[in-house]
Amino acid sequence: MKSNTEKFGKTPHQPSLWTRADALKVRADDPTTTQPLVSADFPVLSNEVFIWDTMPLRDMDGNVTSVDGWSVIFTLTADRHPNDPQYLDENGNYDITRDWNDRHGRAKMYYWFSRTGKDWELGGRVMAEGVSPTVREWAGTPILLNEQGDVDLYYTAVTPGATIVKVRGRVVTTEHGVSLVGFEKVKPLFEADGKMYQTEAQNAFWGFRDPWPFRDPNDGKLYMLFEGNVAGERGSHKVGEAEIGDVPPGYEDVGNSRFQTACVGIAVARDEDGDDWEMLPPLLTAVGVNDQTERPHFVFQDGKYYLFTISHTFTYADGVTGPDGVYGFVADSLFGPYVPLNGSGLVLGNPSSQPFQTYSHYVMPNGLVTSFIDSVPTDETGTQIRIGGTEAPTVGMKIKGQQTFVVAEYDYGYIPPMLDVTLK
Ligand code: FRU
């Protein structure tokens, strides 16, 4: 496997590297980068469905947008099966943990609406059964396109394969609620190419998903971020000096870290409608550091590009670790170079006493961070847990230069609009 420079030599930019040295700076439980404890008596949005990744309706510039005073969110969603014999344990009790852990295989896109930016009401499924070409409907981004209420939903069609797709529909409001119409024709956009982005044939554990389209505030062009892994056969990647970074004596051994090859991908649209895309080399790679940089997204602030991405403890490479949560990087221009926020990259992690309390953090341009509750311990030892599948309390964060600070906590699932669009 070639180095970044050899591989992406003749391209407009060099991927920035999240190095092992950067990751060695990660400090769990630093109060400025740790999510407040989520209490085990949290309310659930629904007893019928689990929800996890939450995707607020927004415009192409990243602003969370309400329509006619209604806030709208999309969520990855799966039925709960409290009465299904398949999910009963040996004592005949509902094994909610197993049901929850199986959810990815039956993930569907649902939407919710609200007048208050919380207290979400279930709208229903976005696409009827049979519309999406694959079994799983994985994360992406709903974009409000205009004052007619047209919405492009970019998402990931998974199993078989993993394809970045889009489907167009429309949001319709009344005094009583919101409905979505259309969302009937899914258009495949692109898949991993095996040259820049790893394919399933190169690695059965590849990741290629989570599209996040945006308009670059500087050049005005349409781009898209997504999660990928660096191309190449599994095990062939080199963790060299560049990937290791400036480590202290005794930290040179990289173990089996060549198996962790996450990257943040970027594509540019060839047209104004975002129907025709060209993949570019990754913005950021984490070879030898971590295997997943999921749901990448931007906040554009103070003329800078704040790149956020979620990651897990279990996807870190040998010799480095960090909490489940959201990580961030900052650059002065779109193509970098990106520098890890807070030195390490860690922006908002779970406290070590509740390592799985939340995940899938999404940083909004107003500094609010939404996430979902995964599982919260209900006893001292952490052996008993309560499964979430619902919205977590929103966290308020300040972004200042190359640092971030947790400054506030809000209600469960609080996602207030940044602007309201009156439909014509
Ligand atoms: C993040 C994530 C996404 C993916 C989805 C699958 O929580 O892993 O990357 O689209 O969940 O359920």
Side-chain angles (χ1 to χ4, degrees), residues 52-53 76 104 138-139 209-210 227 294-295 310 359-360:
W52 59 109
D53 294 11
L76 293 192
H104 301 286
W138 276 12
R209 53 181 184 258
D210 303 349
E227 171 188 1
E294 307 194 280
R295 295 195 68 198
I310 53 171
Y359 192 58
S360 210

Side-chain angles (χ1 to χ4, degrees), residues 112-322:
W112 307 71
F113 55 88
S114 154
R115 273 282 184 211
T116 57
K118 52 187 190 176
D119 310 312
W120 299 97
E121 269 182 71
L122 183 55
R125 228 178 129 173
V126 177
M127 287 168 280
E129 181 63 28
V131 168
S132 195
T134 61
V135 176
R136 308 174 184 206
E137 301 168 11
W138 276 12
T141 309
I143 306 276
L144 181 69
L145 295 171
N146 52 39
E147 293 176 335
Q148 282 67 49
D150 291 319
V151 172
D152 266 346
L153 172 63
Y154 291 77
Y155 73 98
T156 324
V158 178
T159 313
T163 310
I164 293 187
V165 302
K166 71 189 263 191
V167 57
R168 182 163 299 186
R170 201 156 49 84
V171 56
V172 177
T173 67
T174 67
E175 237 175 89
H176 307 291
V178 170
S179 50
L180 294 184
V181 297
F183 298 98
E184 283 163 350
K185 205 166 162 285
V186 175
K187 185 182 166 76
L189 298 178
F190 54 88
E191 293 177 18
D193 60 347
K195 298 197 177 73
M196 294 183 283
Y197 297 100
Q198 196 173 47
T199 57
E200 186 172 14
Q202 293 173 331
N203 175 8
F205 310 103
W206 94 124
F208 194 76
R209 53 181 184 258
D210 303 349
W212 196 88
F214 65 99
R215 195 170 297 287
D216 177 4
N218 286 311
D219 74 14
K221 285 202 257 178
L222 206 55
Y223 293 91
M224 187 200 291
L225 297 177
F226 53 88
E227 171 188 1
N229 288 99
V230 175
E233 293 294 326
R234 179 172 155 81
S236 71
H237 297 72
K238 292 267 177 300
V239 183
E241 270 178 34
E243 289 77 14
I244 295 172
D246 298 315
V247 294
Y251 288 83
E252 300 86 355
D253 182 4
V254 300
N256 279 324
S257 67
R258 67 183 180 283
F259 293 109
Q260 278 69 42
T261 63
C263 68
V264 172
I266 185 165
V268 60
R270 295 195 186 96
D271 64 332
E272 260 306 294
D273 284 339
D275 287 328
D276 185 14
W277 294 86
E278 179 186 348
M279 281 181 274
L280 302 173
L283 279 189
L284 182 88
T285 62
V287 174
V289 177
N290 202 305
D291 205 34
Q292 291 189 0
T293 46
E294 307 194 280
R295 295 195 68 198
H297 55 283
F298 273 122
V299 168
F300 309 113
Q301 188 190 299
D302 306 329
K304 296 190 191 308
Y305 293 77
Y306 288 93
L307 172 63
F308 295 101
T309 177
I310 53 171
S311 197
H312 290 286
T313 305
F314 84 91
T315 54
Y316 266 100
D318 277 358
V320 279
T321 188

